[in-house]
Amino acid sequence: MHLRVGLRKELADSLSSCRVLVVGAGGIGCELLKNLVLTGFKNIEVIDLDTIDVSNLNRQFLFQKKHVGKSKAQVAKESVLRFCPSANITAYHDSIMNPDYNVEFFRNFQLVMNALDNRAARNHVNRMCLAADIPLIESGTAGYLGQVTVIKKGQTECYECQPKPTQKTFPGCTIRNTPSEPIHCIVWAKYLFNQLFGEEDADQEVSPDTADPEVAWNPADAAARATASNKDGDIKRVSTKEWARSTGYDPVKLFNKLFKDDIMYLLTMDKLWKKRKAPLPLDWTEIHQLGEEAFGTGLKDQQVLGVQGYAQLFHRSVETLRSQLIEKGEGAELVWDKDDPPAMDFVTAAANLRMNVFSMNMKSRFDVKSMAGNIIPAIATTNAVIAGLIVLEALKTLNSDFDQCRTIFLNKQPNPRKKLLVPCALDPPNPNCYVCASKPEVTVKLNVHKTIVQALQDKILKEKFGMVAPDVQIEDGKGTILISSEEGETEANNNKFLSDFGIRNGSRLQADDFLQDYTLLVNLIHSEELEKDVEFEVVGDAPDKAPAPSVPEEGKNIANGNKDSAQPSTSSKAAEDDDVLIVDSDEEPSSSTMEASPESSNRKRKHHDADTDATASKRKRLDQQPADDDEDIIALD
């Protein structure tokens, strides 16, 4: 029976006629679609780029084992129609960032509901809803934590009003030379996968870093002392992939190079080990002379093997990945995916062997996968609670009770008022937001003599400011086109420096993204004093720098800044699902934006008060609980 029997007739009737868009059909999306049809919504469109994976089945109840490999959106539609055959559901197996889904497409709906897992898609939907002036309900879960909020143009903060985190990174010399935590070894192993089997990246080199400023050694002397160099594992300055190919991806030679020769080379860097425990090289032959090693007990993925067990796993995974490369043909590359068993086996084995070399406790495959995928386990009940809250906020929005809409936080433990669900009043737009301000504008500091046009497009406009297909015009009185979204029009500009176009300190650029109906004015400040390895800085009051975080009493901070997740997809393969977020174990939870992140900066959210006086400096929570209870508000993606 539909919930509509308990609704006012006018509202119940509007549910039958209104069109709603659900973006994402994963953990939250499955629960949400079921709730919508049982509430009385009849016209639903759902979009998701992902296909169903076995790992989805423990919580995404619309899917069964027979559906693995099929479109999430399509199968979700078919399953939901069994609840309500009269519903009119349209499914799109596609990316929401496809130009086909333009502003006019969004204007077809009375309400949009996000059930996403990555920031790129969230940013895009946020902008499309602002451009179309359609209410958006954002949501997210992470373990036991969850959050729902309503975004309305001109009335509330948009998704990008508050700062978002960048992915936590580690210095290259730490990854290559002096790892001190398991995560360093896991990052190294993921880099190694790309260097051997995937797309090479000079910034992800895994060989010892001779430029480490801490070393201050003489490379010539060190090379003479390095006894590790031999025909099969010579430490030459050639790419890792080139060397691996020359060996035919021989697992034993790879093992000895990575875990013996490279380590012995590191040992010649004397100064590194004066205040650290020196690494202990591993030798393939010596390991296998120790006899067969017993595997652990319990579930396979939760076993922690010994050195020999991980050496054997490394051998098997290299052979499997080598075969996959051969099948793909000359010049082929593999893409690391935590849900691909051979790739995950390789990273698990390589990371644990490196942990052993640097005297760390080794980790189970489950633990490595959690850290390598930057995920935490998803919980079906959390998804169900959040999906229910989305529908409640949707009913308020469609009933024109916008002043009753709230941001609602689901906490892991009751607060001092015995509340698990904490409602907070919606915040007004951030006047400095570079997305929803009346005239979005930012100031960027860079070196015009060193920054090329391609970097401006890819790293600043697309990656930093979330544009999809920017067109850039120099405000020089001539209307010079610097970047065109039309293929080939300005390709000749890509490798030229900004200064080549007369751009200097104080120059202004107008960047337009016609898909998002978004225009951003970029003020440039020329600087030759940027920190090392920093290509640009966003300056001023735009929400790019979070205030210093307060430290809530409980909880770990959750971030969604994985570079892998910034894909044109409704559901990024880099994150587990729409209900799984990146965990940054060193931070504490935020309390403001929908992004569960350190950059959310733990800014305390304003609380609701019946008094609407604009001069009130603080609002009280609905249940009138003390201000001290602010610490139990968290924010999630």
Side-chain angles (χ1 to χ4, degrees):
M1 181 178 293
H2 293 162
L3 176 65
R4 59 180 296 160
V5 297
L7 302 176
R8 287 190 303 105
K9 183 178 185 304
E10 296 83 356
L11 178 57
D13 290 342
S14 70
L15 298 188
S16 299
S17 59
C18 75
R19 295 180 65 185
V20 297
L21 173 65
V22 176
V23 188
I28 296 176
C30 284
E31 292 283 352
L32 178 57
L33 289 166
K34 175 261 297 180
N35 287 350
L36 289 174
V37 295
L38 293 181
T39 304
F41 287 86
K42 293 289 188 180
N43 299 293
I44 303 169
E45 297 189 23
V46 57
I47 182 169
D48 196 306
L49 179 61
D50 267 0
T51 54
I52 299 163
D53 187 82
V54 173
S55 63
N56 303 147
L57 303 182
N58 69 337
R59 62 196 176 281
Q60 298 176 23
F61 69 98
L62 296 181
F63 310 141
Q64 300 175 28
K65 191 172 182 180
K66 65 182 179 181
H67 296 135
V68 170
K70 295 183 179 180
S71 162
K72 282 187 176 182
Q74 187 61 41
V75 174
K77 167 191 171 179
E78 294 167 1
S79 299
V80 167
L81 285 175
R82 296 173 65 185
F83 291 94
C84 181
S86 62
N88 177 26
I89 303 177
T90 303
Y92 303 93
H93 179 57
D94 205 349
S95 165
I96 192 61
M97 297 173 77
N98 186 318
D100 291 342
Y101 310 113
N102 53 23
V103 174
E104 291 306 314
F105 172 80
F106 275 79
R107 287 186 178 135
N108 291 324
F109 304 99
Q110 280 71 56
L111 185 63
V112 176
M113 292 170 249
N114 267 354
L116 286 162
D117 69 343
N118 73 89
R119 188 188 307 159
R122 277 185 164 104
N123 287 345
H124 182 71
V125 173
N126 174 61
R127 296 180 188 195
M128 300 304 285
C129 287
L130 290 173
D133 197 8
I134 302 299
L136 169 64
I137 300 180
E138 255 292 354
S139 64
T141 65
Y144 294 100
L145 309 178
Q147 178 175 327
V148 174
T149 197
V150 180
I151 296 172
K152 183 73 170 68
K153 181 179 181 179
Q155 298 186 46
T156 73
E157 284 185 341
C158 78
Y159 177 71
E160 298 172 81
C161 269
Q162 294 302 327
K164 301 295 188 292
T166 51
Q167 181 183 16
K168 184 169 182 180
T169 57
F170 307 98
C173 54
T174 298
I175 298 299
R176 299 185 203 178
N177 293 358
T178 56
S180 57
E181 302 174 27
I183 187 62
H184 298 156
C185 299
I186 293 168
V187 170
W188 177 88
K190 287 178 68 176
Y191 286 177
L192 177 63
F193 178 92
N194 285 332
Q195 294 296 321
L196 291 176
F197 307 106
E199 182 179 357
E200 290 184 274
D201 185 338
D203 293 332
Q204 295 183 357
E205 181 55 61
V206 294
S207 298
D209 187 359
T210 59
D212 188 338
E214 189 179 352
V215 176
W217 57 296
N218 185 323
D221 293 344
R225 295 197 306 271
T227 59
S229 294
N230 55 50
K231 183 178 179 181
D232 292 336
D234 198 0
I235 314 299
K236 293 180 181 178
R237 299 294 74 124
V238 296
S239 78
T240 304
K241 180 175 286 187
E242 183 182 339
W243 182 87
R245 283 175 176 167
S246 72
T247 70
Y249 285 99
D250 185 295
V252 176
K253 292 179 180 179
L254 281 172
F255 182 97
N256 281 332
K257 177 194 185 299
L258 295 166
F259 306 110
K260 185 182 78 170
D261 299 344
D262 279 5
I263 302 307
M264 293 178 72
Y265 192 75
L266 278 175
L267 289 171
T268 66
M269 304 179 189
D270 303 9
K271 291 192 176 182
L272 287 178
W273 317 115
K274 287 186 176 180
K275 296 182 180 180
R276 295 185 181 90
K277 183 175 181 179
L280 301 172
L282 296 174
D283 180 86
W284 177 269
T285 303
E286 291 178 2
I287 288 174
H288 288 78
Q289 286 176 346
L290 299 176
E292 188 171 349
E293 216 172 88
F295 280 45
T297 58
L299 295 174
K300 182 179 178 181
D301 277 8
Q302 295 182 354
Q303 295 174 359
V304 178
L305 311 181
V307 176
Q308 189 182 74
Y310 284 122
Q312 293 170 351
L313 184 62
F314 179 85
H315 191 285
R316 291 196 302 271
S317 62
V318 168
E319 289 187 327
T320 303
L321 294 169
R322 177 179 61 190
S323 298
Q324 290 181 358
L325 270 181
I326 293 172
E327 288 176 10
K328 284 180 172 285
E330 186 68 26
E333 293 176 344
L334 303 181
V335 177
W336 189 81
D337 184 343
K338 62 180 171 46
D339 293 318
D340 178 44
M344 194 62 236
D345 285 345
F346 177 85
V347 168
T348 300
N352 273 297
L353 290 167
R354 191 164 173 87
M355 288 179 215
N356 181 270
V357 165
F358 286 91
S359 302
M360 301 177 210
N361 291 329
M362 294 188 288
K363 299 290 184 181
S364 69
R365 191 178 192 274
F366 179 86
D367 290 335
V368 173
K369 183 175 182 178
S370 295
M371 287 187 272
N374 293 319
I375 61 173
I376 58 174
I379 297 174
T381 49
T382 307
N383 293 335
V385 171
I386 293 303
L389 293 172
I390 293 172
V391 173
L392 292 177
E393 294 305 306
L395 293 176
K396 295 177 191 175
T397 302
L398 294 173
N399 200 37
S400 300
D401 292 332
F402 193 75
D403 59 333
Q404 298 298 315
C405 291
R406 298 286 178 266
T407 292
I408 305 171
F409 300 92
L410 172 62
N411 288 352
K412 184 176 181 179
Q413 297 177 342
N415 65 16
R417 301 282 295 181
K418 311 298 183 186
K419 304 285 186 180
L420 277 175
L421 292 174
V422 182
C424 299
L426 300 173
D427 282 330
N430 179 353
N432 297 314
C433 178
Y434 59 77
V435 174
C436 67
S438 57
K439 293 183 179 180
E441 186 171 342
V442 292
T443 300
V444 178
K445 182 188 295 184
L446 47 71
N447 188 327
V448 298
H449 302 301
K450 293 184 178 179
T451 304
I452 62 173
V453 173
Q454 186 83 51
L456 171 68
Q457 174 183 279
D458 295 344
K459 296 186 178 181
I460 299 179
L461 298 178
K462 289 186 176 181
E463 187 175 319
K464 179 63 180 178
F465 296 123
M467 297 181 120
V468 176
D471 292 278
V472 179
Q473 176 178 307
I474 306 172
E475 293 198 344
D476 56 0
K478 304 174 186 177
T480 303
I481 303 298
L482 187 65
I483 298 171
S484 172
S485 59
E486 294 294 328
E487 188 175 352
E489 277 195 5
T490 55
E491 193 172 328
N493 296 346
N494 287 350
N495 294 315
K496 294 181 180 179
F497 295 107
L498 298 184
S499 57
D500 294 339
F501 297 89
I503 295 174
R504 59 185 186 277
N505 186 55
S507 291
R508 289 155 65 94
L509 308 176
Q510 179 176 306
D512 297 291
D513 192 317
F514 294 107
L515 172 62
Q516 298 178 339
D517 194 15
Y518 173 55
T519 298
L520 179 67
L521 185 63
V522 182
N523 301 296
L524 298 180
I525 296 177
H526 171 65
S527 174
E528 298 181 1
E529 299 178 354
L530 293 172
E531 295 181 14
K532 184 181 178 182
D533 298 327
V534 174
E535 295 184 63
F536 69 92
E537 290 180 359
V538 179
V539 298
D541 295 328
D544 63 298
K545 293 183 180 179
S550 60
V551 181
E553 198 168 4
E554 66 164 302
K556 297 285 186 183
N557 195 19
I558 300 151
N560 197 19
N562 190 334
K563 285 184 179 179
D564 294 342
S565 69
Q567 301 178 25
S569 158
T570 60
S571 188
S572 167
K573 285 293 185 182
E576 174 70 9
D577 287 291
D578 55 5
D579 42 323
V580 182
L581 302 184
I582 299 167
V583 172
D584 188 345
S585 60
D586 296 329
E587 303 286 345
E588 293 294 330
S590 157
S591 62
S592 177
T593 68
M594 286 308 297
E595 193 89 33
S597 66
E599 283 188 15
S600 297
S601 74
N602 302 316
R603 183 177 62 81
K604 295 176 183 175
R605 186 173 277 282
K606 301 173 185 176
H607 305 308
H608 176 72
D609 191 342
D611 182 4
T612 58
D613 185 353
T615 62
S617 60
K618 294 183 179 179
R619 302 178 187 173
K620 297 178 183 178
R621 191 171 296 154
L622 290 172
D623 58 6
Q624 299 293 311
Q625 72 183 64
D628 291 348
D629 293 345
D630 289 357
E631 299 294 4
D632 41 68
I633 299 176
I634 49 86
L636 304 177
D637 219 350

